[in-house]
mmCIF file of all heavy atoms in Angstrom:
data_model
loop_
_atom_site.group_PDB
_atom_site.id
_atom_site.type_symbol
_atom_site.label_atom_id
_atom_site.label_comp_id
_atom_site.label_asym_id
_atom_site.label_seq_id
_atom_site.Cartn_x
_atom_site.Cartn_y
_atom_site.Cartn_z
ATOM 1 N N TYR K 95 -105.536 -149.504 41.022
ATOM 2 C CA TYR K 95 -105.107 -149.172 39.673
ATOM 3 C C TYR K 95 -104.447 -150.333 38.936
ATOM 4 O O TYR K 95 -104.154 -150.236 37.755
ATOM 5 C CB TYR K 95 -104.121 -148.000 39.723
ATOM 6 C CG TYR K 95 -104.694 -146.770 40.385
ATOM 7 C CD1 TYR K 95 -104.406 -146.470 41.721
ATOM 8 C CD2 TYR K 95 -105.537 -145.913 39.689
ATOM 9 C CE1 TYR K 95 -104.935 -145.332 42.327
ATOM 10 C CE2 TYR K 95 -106.077 -144.785 40.290
ATOM 11 C CZ TYR K 95 -105.766 -144.503 41.600
ATOM 12 O OH TYR K 95 -106.305 -143.392 42.199
ATOM 13 N N GLN K 96 -104.182 -151.403 39.596
ATOM 14 C CA GLN K 96 -103.438 -152.502 38.994
ATOM 15 C C GLN K 96 -104.296 -153.294 38.006
ATOM 16 O O GLN K 96 -105.494 -153.454 38.187
ATOM 17 C CB GLN K 96 -102.898 -153.441 40.079
ATOM 18 C CG GLN K 96 -101.835 -152.784 40.949
ATOM 19 C CD GLN K 96 -101.366 -153.700 42.064
ATOM 20 O OE1 GLN K 96 -101.851 -154.811 42.189
ATOM 21 N NE2 GLN K 96 -100.430 -153.231 42.862
ATOM 22 N N ASP K 97 -103.657 -153.757 36.942
ATOM 23 C CA ASP K 97 -104.310 -154.680 36.034
ATOM 24 C C ASP K 97 -103.258 -155.645 35.497
ATOM 25 O O ASP K 97 -102.056 -155.465 35.729
ATOM 26 C CB ASP K 97 -105.022 -153.944 34.885
ATOM 27 C CG ASP K 97 -104.082 -153.064 34.081
ATOM 28 O OD1 ASP K 97 -102.997 -153.542 33.687
ATOM 29 O OD2 ASP K 97 -104.431 -151.903 33.842
ATOM 30 N N ASP K 98 -103.707 -156.651 34.825
ATOM 31 C CA ASP K 98 -102.775 -157.694 34.378
ATOM 32 C C ASP K 98 -102.739 -157.801 32.860
ATOM 33 O O ASP K 98 -102.434 -158.851 32.307
ATOM 34 C CB ASP K 98 -103.166 -159.053 34.988
ATOM 35 C CG ASP K 98 -104.617 -159.435 34.658
ATOM 36 O OD1 ASP K 98 -105.303 -158.632 33.987
ATOM 37 O OD2 ASP K 98 -105.040 -160.524 35.082
ATOM 38 N N LYS K 99 -103.035 -156.704 32.184
ATOM 39 C CA LYS K 99 -103.035 -156.746 30.726
ATOM 40 C C LYS K 99 -101.607 -156.751 30.178
ATOM 41 O O LYS K 99 -100.712 -156.134 30.745
ATOM 42 C CB LYS K 99 -103.826 -155.563 30.161
ATOM 43 C CG LYS K 99 -105.318 -155.719 30.374
ATOM 44 C CD LYS K 99 -106.089 -154.581 29.766
ATOM 45 C CE LYS K 99 -107.584 -154.889 29.807
ATOM 46 N NZ LYS K 99 -108.049 -155.226 31.152
ATOM 47 N N ASN K 100 -101.448 -157.419 29.061
ATOM 48 C CA ASN K 100 -100.144 -157.478 28.398
ATOM 49 C C ASN K 100 -100.398 -157.486 26.890
ATOM 50 O O ASN K 100 -100.072 -158.432 26.191
ATOM 51 C CB ASN K 100 -99.372 -158.719 28.841
ATOM 52 C CG ASN K 100 -97.930 -158.686 28.395
ATOM 53 O OD1 ASN K 100 -97.379 -157.625 28.112
ATOM 54 N ND2 ASN K 100 -97.320 -159.851 28.304
ATOM 55 N N LEU K 101 -100.987 -156.379 26.402
ATOM 56 C CA LEU K 101 -101.410 -156.294 25.019
ATOM 57 C C LEU K 101 -100.262 -155.922 24.090
ATOM 58 O O LEU K 101 -99.252 -155.359 24.524
ATOM 59 C CB LEU K 101 -102.527 -155.254 24.881
ATOM 60 C CG LEU K 101 -103.762 -155.411 25.776
ATOM 61 C CD1 LEU K 101 -104.760 -154.294 25.479
ATOM 62 C CD2 LEU K 101 -104.408 -156.771 25.580
ATOM 63 N N SER K 102 -100.451 -156.220 22.825
ATOM 64 C CA SER K 102 -99.508 -155.742 21.818
ATOM 65 C C SER K 102 -99.767 -154.263 21.599
ATOM 66 O O SER K 102 -100.797 -153.721 22.040
ATOM 67 C CB SER K 102 -99.695 -156.500 20.507
ATOM 68 O OG SER K 102 -100.954 -156.168 19.924
ATOM 69 N N ALA K 103 -98.867 -153.578 20.906
ATOM 70 C CA ALA K 103 -99.040 -152.152 20.646
ATOM 71 C C ALA K 103 -100.334 -151.896 19.878
ATOM 72 O O ALA K 103 -101.094 -150.979 20.195
ATOM 73 C CB ALA K 103 -97.844 -151.613 19.868
ATOM 74 N N SER K 104 -100.599 -152.705 18.861
ATOM 75 C CA SER K 104 -101.806 -152.546 18.066
ATOM 76 C C SER K 104 -103.059 -152.776 18.904
ATOM 77 O O SER K 104 -104.038 -152.023 18.813
ATOM 78 C CB SER K 104 -101.782 -153.518 16.877
ATOM 79 O OG SER K 104 -102.923 -153.360 16.074
ATOM 80 N N GLU K 105 -103.038 -153.803 19.731
ATOM 81 C CA GLU K 105 -104.173 -154.089 20.602
ATOM 82 C C GLU K 105 -104.376 -152.979 21.627
ATOM 83 O O GLU K 105 -105.512 -152.630 21.963
ATOM 84 C CB GLU K 105 -103.951 -155.422 21.315
ATOM 85 C CG GLU K 105 -104.024 -156.642 20.411
ATOM 86 C CD GLU K 105 -103.568 -157.909 21.104
ATOM 87 O OE1 GLU K 105 -102.784 -157.820 22.088
ATOM 88 O OE2 GLU K 105 -103.995 -158.997 20.673
ATOM 89 N N ALA K 106 -103.282 -152.420 22.102
ATOM 90 C CA ALA K 106 -103.359 -151.354 23.099
ATOM 91 C C ALA K 106 -104.053 -150.122 22.522
ATOM 92 O O ALA K 106 -104.905 -149.504 23.176
ATOM 93 C CB ALA K 106 -101.959 -150.986 23.580
ATOM 94 N N ILE K 107 -103.702 -149.769 21.289
ATOM 95 C CA ILE K 107 -104.329 -148.620 20.643
ATOM 96 C C ILE K 107 -105.829 -148.845 20.480
ATOM 97 O O ILE K 107 -106.646 -147.971 20.775
ATOM 98 C CB ILE K 107 -103.666 -148.345 19.281
ATOM 99 C CG1 ILE K 107 -102.254 -147.802 19.483
ATOM 100 C CG2 ILE K 107 -104.492 -147.346 18.466
ATOM 101 C CD1 ILE K 107 -101.480 -147.610 18.209
ATOM 102 N N ASP K 108 -106.207 -150.028 20.027
ATOM 103 C CA ASP K 108 -107.630 -150.345 19.840
ATOM 104 C C ASP K 108 -108.373 -150.335 21.172
ATOM 105 O O ASP K 108 -109.522 -149.892 21.259
ATOM 106 C CB ASP K 108 -107.788 -151.715 19.173
ATOM 107 C CG ASP K 108 -107.331 -151.716 17.725
ATOM 108 O OD1 ASP K 108 -107.277 -150.628 17.122
ATOM 109 O OD2 ASP K 108 -106.998 -152.805 17.206
#
Side-chain angles (χ1 to χ4, degrees):
Y95 302 99
Q96 293 177 359
D97 58 48
D98 56 359
K99 288 182 171 54
N100 191 22
L101 306 181
S102 68
S104 181
E105 291 170 336
I107 290 175
D108 291 339

